Amino acid sequence: DAMVIQNPRYQVTQFGKPVTLSCSQTLNHNVMYWYQQKSSQAPKLLFHYYDKDFNNEADTPDNFQSRRPNTSFCFLDIRSPGLGDAAMYLCATSRAWTGGSANYGYTFGSGTRLTVV
Amino acid sequence: AQTVTQSQPEMSVQEAETVTLSCTYDTSENNYYLFWYKQPPSRQMILVIRQEAYKQQNATENRFSVNFQKAAKSFSLKISDSQLGDTAMYFCAFMNPYTGANSKLTFGKGITLSVRP
């Protein structure tokens, strides 16, 4: 089945130690998104890629970076994780908008829960 | 900017009964999509139902239906014959893909629904 896969499911990292979360998709979607979700809160968009074009949200800290080497993969790099970065990180994909479609929407991965110690 | 408001943080319903989750939104746009997403304790975000704003007919998916009131900017979710597996956090979300490639999903704060046996 076509899907969005996030690895690892759980990640523990040390305060200040760089960490990378990965996302892959078999849907061949143009757009890939990274969301941060803290406990019992709404997901917050960090950035997204439309093909190779990177789009950063204005309030995303510089500590967060992303790479998309090809259509299938997207990475979230946290350069110096702080305790406040502990959260669930959700990857999502969507195809490019080409007009009215009853099936338009996002597909989410299962998320990576990041713990900072 | 669009905003999505879910004013009820928690609800509880008896198994087999019907429950309605409320959502309001604010936008100046005429064409857009609205979604309800379910996030069970396993944490994967799953699409429950979508509504295209230009369609007057309310969307339905099996036990799930919406009451879409465009003029009132209201988009409530009705769950009929509630099941234990419906226990989850539910997010209402807005997107306007007509703005182009950088359309984004805006979430409400979510509501925690508990189904009691």
Side-chain angles (χ1 to χ4, degrees):
Chain A
D1 287 341
M3 57 179 62
V4 180
I5 301 167
Q6 290 188 245
N7 286 307
R9 188 70 188 270
Y10 300 92
Q11 175 75 56
V12 180
T13 191
Q14 290 181 335
F15 183 93
K17 184 175 180 180
V19 65
T20 294
L21 310 182
S22 73
C23 176
S24 64
Q25 54 130 340
T26 60
L27 297 157
N28 203 32
H29 282 171
N30 299 84
V31 196
M32 294 186 77
Y33 308 82
W34 279 105
Y35 280 84
Q36 179 192 64
Q37 186 181 23
K38 296 192 175 179
S39 181
S40 299
Q41 295 183 23
K44 177 180 178 298
L45 182 64
L46 295 173
F47 27 59
H48 73 279
Y49 273 95
Y50 180 83
D51 291 330
K52 289 182 181 261
D53 293 333
F54 177 70
N55 298 272
N56 199 32
E57 292 301 295
D59 57 354
T60 297
D62 292 340
N63 197 26
F64 291 87
Q65 305 285 322
S66 185
R67 297 170 283 133
R68 189 179 185 185
N70 54 52
T71 300
S72 301
F73 285 87
C74 195
F75 300 98
L76 169 61
D77 301 309
I78 309 176
R79 293 193 296 186
S80 181
L83 298 179
D85 296 328
M88 176 71 80
Y89 290 88
L90 300 172
C91 175
T93 71
S94 71
R95 55 179 173 76
W97 176 251
T98 56
S101 168
N103 295 322
Y104 186 75
Y106 281 30
T107 302
F108 283 86
S110 297
T112 294
R113 179 169 295 284
L114 178 69
T115 300
V116 182
V117 298
Chain B
Q2 293 79 27
T3 58
V4 178
T5 302
Q6 294 178 254
S7 56
Q8 307 154 301
E10 296 181 3
M11 285 191 77
S12 179
V13 63
Q14 193 74 33
E15 193 176 8
E17 292 188 347
T18 295
V19 64
T20 298
L21 310 183
S22 303
C23 174
T24 59
Y25 59 95
D26 189 24
T27 184
S28 59
E29 294 157 359
N30 191 46
N31 292 319
Y32 46 86
Y33 279 74
L34 293 163
F35 304 87
W36 278 97
Y37 279 91
K38 170 186 177 181
Q39 192 175 37
S42 66
R43 307 290 285 189
Q44 181 165 18
M45 194 84 73
I46 302 165
L47 178 65
V48 175
I49 200 164
R50 65 166 63 79
Q51 175 79 40
E52 297 166 77
Y54 69 87
K55 290 186 176 180
Q56 293 186 340
Q57 186 175 5
N58 288 325
T60 63
E61 287 287 342
N62 301 315
R63 297 183 295 108
F64 300 88
S65 62
V66 298
N67 183 5
F68 173 49
Q69 301 290 328
K70 191 173 183 180
K73 296 180 183 174
S74 170
F75 183 61
S76 60
L77 175 69
K78 186 172 82 171
I79 306 174
S80 304
D81 185 25
S82 297
Q83 300 175 0
L84 296 178
D86 295 334
T87 293
M89 198 155 184
Y90 287 81
F91 291 96
C92 179
F94 172 101
M95 175 193 280
N96 181 4
Y98 297 89
T99 58
N102 294 331
S103 58
K104 293 175 274 190
L105 199 58
T106 301
F107 288 92
K109 290 187 175 181
I111 178 172
T112 300
L113 176 67
S114 300
V115 180
R116 305 185 305 272

